[in-house]
Amino acid sequence: MTPASNPDPDGPLPVAPELPNAARDFRLRMAVIDRETETALDMTRDRYGRIVHASAAATARAQRDKAAVEAYTTHLAPHADALLDAARRALDELPPARHLAGWRAVLDGLAASATEIRRALGRPAAPGSQAERAQHSALWPHLAAWADHSFIASNLADQSDGQHHKAPLTEEEQRMWTERAQAAQRRGELELTESWYSADGQPIMLAHLVEDDDSTLVALRGDPDAPGWQVIGHYAHEYEAGQSLPAPVPPGVLRADVSGFNRPEPAPEISLQELTRDVVEAQHAGDASNALLSATQRGYDAGPMVRLQELLETSSQFASALETVQGRQIAARLSAFGRQIEFLTREVEEAAEDLGATIAVLPPHRTPVLRVRQRPAVDTTPPTPPPRASTPARHR
């Protein structure tokens, strides 16, 4: 494969929108590649998620690596350096904030990955060879890094003219609107609708302030459940607010090593539905006991009850990481629920062991009823699942 070169220094530089758009196109293509790869890998797994067709899985990953290299060559190779330069210039102009050091480290990491990709593509292996497979495999972590984190560079390149809060309120107007919003909050009539962070690290929220059946869209700065928050503007509609307020910056992550394109291989897992079915079909107490013990199993192939506790603990960490009053309160509740699940898991485990120790079978008078069930017609449409509840608040 012939690598795409960097722009000719004597030729025209890409226009500003071209740079973030190139990274967005690459991320979109990588998302498609990721979905296609997961679909292919699903065909290589058994019912519990274990890969049982290793050669097919290796082929799927090799196709993924090759497609990712092609996507980078097409979309990003001509623009990567210019995008990083634009992002660094924008970063240097931002006001001091806690997240800037992390963003700078991300840009440095992307630059290092771009260098590795350029070096490898400058010495391409023979097409279709094992060496090409190995080369593409070695490049995958760098390509995944760009797919995971180039949104920060894109956002910075887009921020050049969106950092100023237009038409700020006077001190007197700000005090008056803040008092009105605080009164509405006490009445339960301050309805938060959207939240984001500005470049200086300050949280911004949009809310509907309801007074006498009349609603006004206002913008708040700070945590509305903590002292010191203020109204910084009022607007006729959300479009006007978006044009006037500080632009949103990318939100953070719960764990620094998170990657949407390098997820760990899932552990084998038995569903609760299957365990319940095992109990329904059991005739010996030991079979029902084994289903319960599978639900409480710990370690690599943990059971559903242990996974639920992990979910609660991780969600508690997430809520705490929001660094808001409500977030800390919810984190404490979720942590308490996790402890309750841990206690319940131990109780279920003991009950399962006691059930297995009964050495009993179901009495014969529990006779099965013979039913010959007709197969559904080929064109039968399965029932429509109930719609999922939507969250009222949106986040930019």
Side-chain angles (χ1 to χ4, degrees):
M1 179 184 301
T2 303
S5 60
N6 288 324
D8 183 351
D10 297 327
L13 291 174
V15 296
E18 223 174 285
L19 302 178
N21 287 344
R24 292 189 188 101
D25 290 343
F26 173 71
R27 292 194 298 273
L28 178 61
R29 177 61 187 141
M30 284 289 283
V32 173
I33 292 169
D34 183 61
R35 285 197 300 271
E36 292 173 347
T37 303
E38 284 302 314
T39 300
L41 288 175
D42 284 343
M43 302 297 292
T44 71
R45 296 185 174 111
D46 65 10
R47 62 193 295 187
Y48 302 121
R50 296 172 297 204
I51 288 182
V52 292
H53 302 292
S55 61
T59 298
R61 292 192 178 98
Q63 292 172 345
R64 174 202 68 183
D65 298 345
K66 180 179 175 64
V69 169
E70 292 172 348
Y72 185 91
T73 302
T74 300
H75 298 294
L76 265 179
H79 306 304
D81 290 340
L83 174 64
L84 292 174
D85 289 342
R88 285 194 175 99
R89 287 194 300 270
L91 188 62
D92 291 340
E93 296 174 1
L94 293 180
R98 290 171 58 187
H99 57 272
L100 298 192
W103 282 7
R104 198 173 301 279
V106 167
L107 296 182
D108 291 343
L110 292 177
S113 288
T115 299
E116 289 297 320
I117 296 169
R118 183 165 53 247
R119 181 182 297 118
L121 296 185
R123 299 189 300 270
S129 67
Q130 189 62 36
E132 185 188 53
R133 268 195 173 198
Q135 186 181 65
H136 291 172
S137 178
L139 287 179
W140 169 254
H142 301 290
L143 298 164
W146 270 88
D148 278 321
H149 306 304
S150 63
F151 69 93
I152 291 178
S154 295
N155 182 271
L156 283 167
D158 271 342
Q159 293 289 332
S160 56
D161 61 350
Q163 295 302 325
H164 302 293
H165 178 199
K166 302 174 183 176
L169 300 176
T170 65
E171 288 188 12
E172 178 61 26
E173 290 174 326
Q174 189 174 76
R175 184 188 61 78
M176 180 192 70
W177 278 97
T178 300
E179 289 177 352
R180 290 172 62 179
Q182 289 171 341
Q185 184 186 44
R186 289 191 292 270
R187 298 193 305 269
E189 294 182 328
L190 185 67
E191 303 170 0
L192 303 177
T193 62
E194 193 170 355
S195 68
W196 69 93
Y197 276 86
S198 59
D200 61 359
Q202 289 293 317
I204 308 292
M205 289 191 177
L206 291 183
H208 290 291
L209 193 165
V210 180
E211 296 174 308
D212 300 326
D213 296 329
D214 186 29
S215 177
T216 304
L217 183 67
V218 296
L220 320 176
R221 180 171 58 210
D223 181 358
D225 294 303
W229 63 273
Q230 296 176 316
V231 173
I232 58 174
H234 57 91
Y235 310 96
H237 42 68
E238 291 188 359
Y239 178 78
E240 181 187 359
Q243 293 298 303
S244 303
L245 290 167
V249 299
V253 294
L254 179 60
R255 295 173 181 167
D257 60 349
V258 66
S259 171
F261 294 90
N262 271 326
R263 298 183 186 93
E265 193 68 27
E269 191 170 52
I270 303 177
S271 71
L272 275 174
Q273 291 185 74
E274 186 166 350
L275 293 175
T276 301
R277 193 66 195 175
D278 287 346
V279 175
V280 170
E281 295 175 354
Q283 294 177 307
H284 297 263
D287 295 334
S289 170
N290 287 337
L292 288 171
L293 290 174
S294 294
T296 60
Q297 183 169 300
R298 304 169 193 275
Y300 171 70
D301 50 351
M305 292 191 71
V306 176
R307 295 294 186 202
L308 176 58
Q309 183 190 356
E310 293 175 356
L311 172 62
L312 292 173
E313 291 174 350
T314 305
S315 300
S316 174
Q317 294 168 11
F318 181 93
S320 178
L322 295 174
E323 299 183 5
T324 63
V325 170
Q326 280 200 19
R328 288 189 289 271
Q329 293 171 347
I330 295 170
R333 291 167 58 193
L334 290 171
S335 181
F337 296 153
R339 291 192 296 272
Q340 292 175 22
I341 292 295
E342 166 64 21
F343 173 78
L344 181 61
T345 299
R346 291 197 300 268
E347 291 291 305
V348 171
E349 195 170 17
E350 291 180 9
E353 292 171 348
D354 292 343
L355 178 61
T358 62
I359 316 297
V361 297
L362 292 174
H365 67 78
R366 302 187 66 85
T367 308
V369 177
L370 181 63
R371 290 191 180 95
V372 179
R373 297 183 179 178
Q374 298 294 330
R375 289 176 175 266
V378 175
D379 58 350
T380 299
T381 303
T384 303
R388 297 184 63 179
S390 58
T391 54
R394 292 174 295 130
H395 305 275
R396 298 211 304 194

